[in-house]
Every structure is written in C-alpha cells, then in structure tokens.
Amino acid sequence: MDAAEFRRRGKEMVDYVADYLENVEKRSVYPDVEPGYLRSLIPTEAPLEPDSYDEIIKDVERVIMPGVTHWHSPYFFAYFAAASSYPAMLADMLCGAIGCIGFSWAASPVCTELETVMLDWLGKMLKLPEHFLAGTDGHGGGVIQGTASEATLMSMLAARCKAVRRGQALNPEKSEAEILSKLVAYTSEQAHCSVERASLIAGTMIKKVPTDNSYAVGGAMLKKMLEEDKAAGLIPFYFCATLGTTPSCAFDRITELGPICNEENMWMHIDAAYAGSAFICPEFRPLLNGVEFADSFNFNPHKWLLVNFDCSAMWVKKRQDIIGAFKMEPLYLKHENQESGLVTDYRHWQIPLGRRFRSLKMWFVFRIYGLHGLQAHIRKQVGLAKEFESLVRADKRFEICAEVIMGLVCFRLKGSNELNQLLLKKINKSREIHLVPCQLSGRFVLRLAICARTTESYHIQQAWRHITQLTFELLQEHNK
C-alpha cells in the first residue's frame, strides 16, 4: 500500500468508523456466537500471497463484527464506561503515524514533555495539591499508565521497596527476605480484584478491610487491624483506598484513612479509576478531600473523560519513590540531557520500557471539549443514572441497593438471588441491552452503568421498558 492508496483507504475507513458509531445502536449490543466461532470463518494459516484490501474489509463484517460486544452502543450498561470521542480517535491516528517509542526524553522529546504538561493540566482540573504537579516546586508529578491495575502495582512495588529499605536501615541485621515476609498491604473488601492481583505479583501479604453499611472503609476498622497485626509482628506498609468501587461506586473515607497511613509510615494509594473523572466538577470534588495525605493517586480518563483506551493518569507525591525503585541505566538508553532538572524519563515510572504517545489524545480532547464541555458530559451521564434510579424506585417490584452518586445504579428485583440471576440471564440473552452483576451484602445485584457517550434519555426509557417486560415474563413463568 503506497501513500496514494493509503489516502483513499484512510478516507474510506474514517467513513466506515463514522457509520459504525452513528448506527451502532441498531446492532445487537451483545454477540450471538459460541466459543470458537471464528476458527471456521478464516483459513488455518496465513496466506502465501497478498489478499486484496477489499477482501479484508468485506471480512470485517463477516468475521469481526459478529464477535464484537459493542461497548459504545447506548444500550451497553455493563462494567463502567470505556471513553470514546472523535478527537481522541484522530489523535490516535496521528500517534500511530508518528510511531515513537517514548522510553526517554531523547527518544522523542515532545512525547515526554507533552505528557508532563497534560498531567499538570489534568491535575489542575482536579484541583490536586501542588505537590502532585511537575511544574511546581514540589517533588511529585504525573505519568500515563496503561491501566489502573498497572498504577496500583507500581505504587505497591514502590511502597515495598521503600519499606524494605526503611526496615534494613532500622535493623541492619535483618535480610530483605525477612522483612518481605512480614510486610502486609490492606485494601477494602469491595476493592477491585487488581489490588489483590498486585499483591500476588509483588509477593506480599494483603488483608481486606471490612466495610460499613455504605460499603466504604472507615478509619476505625483499619486502625483496629493495624494494631492487631503490629502486635503479631507484622509490618503494615501499604493501603489502597478506593473512590468509586466497582460493585457499587462507594467511597472510602480518605480523610480518616490518610492520617492513619501517614502516622504508620504506610504508603496510601488512591484508586479512583472510574469516579476520578467526575472530580473535575466542583460538586463532586469534595469526594477527593483527603488526597493531600496520599502518596499516589490514579484514575482512568479512558473510562469517563472521552479519552480512548489506554490512558490511566497517575500522580505521585515524591517521584523519587518511583524512580528510585525501578531506575535502570544501560549505556544504550543514556542521553546527554538526562541529568537536566527539566527532563523526565518515564521508563523509570512504569513496568514496560516502551510507551506510546498517549498524551496526544489528551491534548486533542482537552482542547476540543474544554473543561466546561467535559464537565457537561459528566453531569449529563449522572443525570441519566438519576433518571434510571427514579424509574426503579417507582416500581414496587424493585429496590435500589446502594446510593446513586454518579453514573451507576445498583438495583434488584425483590426476592431471591436465584430470581435475580434468572432475570439477568434473560436480559443478556435478549442482546438488546447488556448488564453485569455484583454482590452486595450477600445479595445478587444488577448494575446499570451509563457508559456510551451517545446515551440519551430515550435509551434509558427503552432499557427500562425492556427490563420490566422481561420481568413480567419471568414472574409469570415463576408463578406457574
């Protein structure tokens, strides 16, 4: 494919993508395929001779689209939002064309410098304390990770390194292995499974802190666990607080938890993967009060801030805590400007060496939408969640299971877990809307998250009509 054909095919692809997104709600949101469906549709080996581009494009509809779960359908209400916008897609095209691998400033200066500035822009939108911003007199800064899972892992590994060094400084006779065997991390019983997974990779113990009636961790329970564990000879070193838990969008009480972590020399990481985007709105910013106590903070613009995956924003209070844990300097990666105070080499802040030019899509999105446009997007989706909540509350057969604060509604049919499992199965089997469940207080609960950028009130109304129709059918079957 030469440049001339690329121009022609590129324009065709933009048209295809625009048509797909404009008409995605006409497709069944969930695919009607069985495991292994694809193997029978394509050859068992790669072609010896080139296929034509036209043949490939025909196969997109024949092979690819039947197996797609349409995350950007306005009838997709599962998990949490996966951000998407036209400016971000255009920026990703340019990112792919530039194709730099930004492991150091020298590898492509703008890849590093734009990221540093975009994380400062975003930090200021969130009104983060200045010590988290690179362009201040503080010692912190921001970085784009691939996912919140990576951010949690990086923070835990950095905390582990810091705890081991502190332990050896206090007790030089103790080996690293002895100290590691005593380290224990903590997180909410409602936290995302990636926190527990991070502890498996880090090789440290982790304990889950029970939550209160609103599914949040408070200071008293954490303090009680810390006292018991210290008495048993363990070394608490890390706590991951969650703002906007995956099951119910609950908020740990970081104004209580932060001072405890600081007193105990524990690293506090805040995972706000979904909810963090909403903190750009003044009415939601109080939920972030207490972030000043944190050592690191993370959320995903690729969930709710119109920046396509992958783009997970992470800030640290002391960048040396990250760099000091992971810094490697082989000769082939050194460059003459690396000791400059103006230069950041992000390879020291992350798991992989290489990285895409991800800040480009932040730059496009922030400029095209502006802060007010991004705030309007968040507020609209919260309003749609509130609309769905009101529909549920008006139907005496259903109950709301957790406070609706942002764009997630947890609800269930009054009755047994088995009845709700059957309802969810009917909903997803219909392939008209897509939901996933959670468990709250031992109850099987349905989650409806406002996900697609294009979701409107009539999609909410249609989704509710569909749920109530299937409920009517289920209760008739159940009562026979």
Side-chain angles (χ1 to χ4, degrees):
M1 184 180 290
D2 59 18
E5 187 180 2
F6 175 72
R7 289 178 191 276
R8 180 164 62 90
R9 297 303 191 180
K11 290 169 184 173
E12 290 173 4
M13 181 57 76
V14 168
D15 284 340
Y16 180 87
V17 168
D19 289 343
Y20 166 73
L21 291 172
E22 282 187 331
N23 297 292
V24 67
E25 69 181 83
K26 297 175 184 176
R27 297 177 185 258
S28 293
V29 64
Y30 195 74
D32 184 18
V33 296
E34 297 295 329
Y37 88 95
L38 187 138
R39 280 193 175 273
S40 65
L41 298 179
I42 61 175
T44 57
E45 296 179 359
L48 293 176
E49 301 298 331
D51 283 341
S52 74
Y53 184 82
D54 287 328
E55 289 174 322
I56 295 169
I57 288 300
K58 285 178 185 174
D59 280 350
V60 169
E61 285 295 335
R62 184 181 70 86
V63 177
I64 304 302
M65 286 300 174
V68 171
T69 299
H70 298 285
W71 281 62
H72 301 296
S73 166
Y75 295 114
F76 182 91
F77 301 110
Y79 313 108
F80 277 128
S84 177
S85 68
Y86 294 120
M89 284 183 256
L90 291 172
D92 253 349
M93 286 175 64
L94 182 55
C95 171
I98 292 172
C100 61
I101 311 298
F103 47 75
S104 70
W105 180 89
S108 198
V110 70
C111 183
T112 293
E113 296 203 10
L114 187 63
E115 181 163 337
T116 303
V117 175
M118 287 303 99
L119 268 294
D120 275 4
W121 276 20
L122 186 52
K124 290 173 183 176
M125 290 184 205
L126 297 165
K127 294 184 167 35
L128 288 182
E130 283 207 350
H131 57 242
F132 283 115
L133 306 181
T136 68
D137 294 330
H139 300 285
V143 58
I144 301 174
Q145 303 286 2
T147 64
S149 304
E150 289 178 38
T152 300
L153 176 58
M154 288 298 294
S155 66
M156 189 179 291
L157 291 172
R160 185 189 72 175
C161 179
K162 193 174 182 181
V164 168
R165 289 173 180 171
R166 183 170 59 242
Q168 289 183 315
L170 293 171
N171 301 284
E173 74 284 357
K174 287 195 174 181
S175 68
E176 181 176 333
E178 284 181 280
I179 296 169
L180 280 172
S181 70
K182 300 292 185 182
L183 295 182
V184 57
Y186 303 83
T187 194
S188 165
E189 63 184 2
Q190 294 287 314
H192 193 270
C193 62
S194 60
V195 185
E196 188 174 2
R197 191 167 183 266
S199 76
L200 290 173
I201 297 170
T204 59
M205 268 186 284
I206 190 165
K207 296 195 175 186
K208 294 183 180 179
V209 185
T211 58
D212 60 21
N213 291 335
S214 62
Y215 307 109
V217 171
M221 183 56 73
L222 178 63
K223 197 169 185 66
K224 178 176 180 290
M225 290 182 69
L226 296 181
E227 288 169 357
E228 291 172 355
D229 288 345
K230 285 192 297 179
L234 297 177
I235 306 171
F237 81 104
Y238 177 91
F239 176 70
C240 179
T242 306
L243 296 180
T245 59
T246 301
S248 66
C249 201
F251 292 81
D252 289 345
R253 308 188 191 290
I254 57 174
T255 53
E256 300 174 16
L257 297 162
I260 295 170
C261 291
N262 289 180
E263 288 165 15
E264 298 289 344
N265 272 327
M266 293 171 61
W267 184 296
M268 184 167 82
H269 175 67
I270 296 175
D271 172 13
Y274 163 69
S277 295
F279 301 152
I280 66 170
C281 299
E283 64 269 32
F284 293 118
R285 177 56 179 78
L287 291 166
L288 189 56
N289 289 349
V291 69
E292 62 272 15
F293 298 111
D295 296 276
S296 53
F297 166 68
N298 164 254
F299 86 97
N300 293 341
H302 69 228
K303 274 194 170 68
W304 208 12
L305 210 60
L306 299 173
V307 181
N308 291 35
F309 189 87
D310 59 336
C311 183
S312 187
M314 178 186 185
W315 291 266
V316 290
K317 184 179 287 184
K318 295 180 181 177
R319 54 183 174 267
Q320 194 54 45
D321 287 340
I322 289 278
I323 297 168
F326 306 107
K327 191 169 185 177
M328 302 289 287
E329 290 286 23
L331 182 61
Y332 51 80
L333 294 179
K334 290 184 177 181
H335 56 92
E336 61 183 6
N337 293 299
Q338 67 184 34
E339 301 305 326
S340 166
L342 298 174
V343 166
T344 298
D345 282 351
Y346 279 123
R347 70 179 183 274
H348 305 311
W349 297 54
Q350 61 177 22
I351 295 165
L353 177 67
R355 57 209 332 274
R356 298 170 64 243
F357 192 1
R358 293 176 291 205
S359 58
L360 198 59
K361 54 193 172 188
M362 297 177 79
W363 192 53
F364 272 49
V365 168
F366 294 166
R367 294 183 67 187
I368 290 290
Y369 283 91
L371 176 58
H372 290 165
L374 295 171
Q375 289 171 334
H377 170 68
I378 298 292
R379 288 167 176 149
K380 176 183 176 181
Q381 297 216 319
V382 173
L384 292 172
K386 293 290 187 182
E387 180 179 352
F388 185 79
E389 178 191 14
S390 68
L391 294 170
V392 175
R393 290 192 183 280
D395 191 319
K396 301 300 183 187
R397 297 171 299 176
F398 288 87
E399 58 184 332
I400 294 292
C401 303
E403 184 182 1
V404 179
I405 298 174
M406 293 187 178
L408 174 68
V409 183
C410 294
F411 70 107
R412 72 193 301 274
L413 188 58
K414 292 175 182 176
S416 68
N417 285 344
E418 291 73 23
L419 192 64
N420 281 277
Q421 289 168 357
L422 288 171
L423 176 57
L424 181 64
K425 188 174 181 180
K426 284 179 76 75
I427 288 169
N428 286 336
K429 194 174 180 182
S430 74
R431 302 192 306 281
E432 291 194 25
I433 66 173
H434 188 46
L435 307 178
V436 294
C438 68
Q439 185 168 307
L440 297 173
S441 303
R443 297 182 300 171
F444 186 90
V445 172
L446 282 63
R447 297 168 72 264
L448 184 137
I450 310 300
C451 291
R453 174 179 52 84
T454 55
T455 304
E456 300 287 349
S457 176
Y458 69 86
H459 297 117
I460 299 300
Q461 298 287 336
Q462 176 59 29
W464 180 241
R465 283 194 294 270
H466 185 62
I467 290 168
T468 54
Q469 176 59 39
L470 293 178
T471 299
F472 175 76
E473 294 171 8
L474 175 65
L475 292 176
Q476 278 197 320
E477 295 165 8
H478 193 69
N479 293 328
K480 281 182 180 177

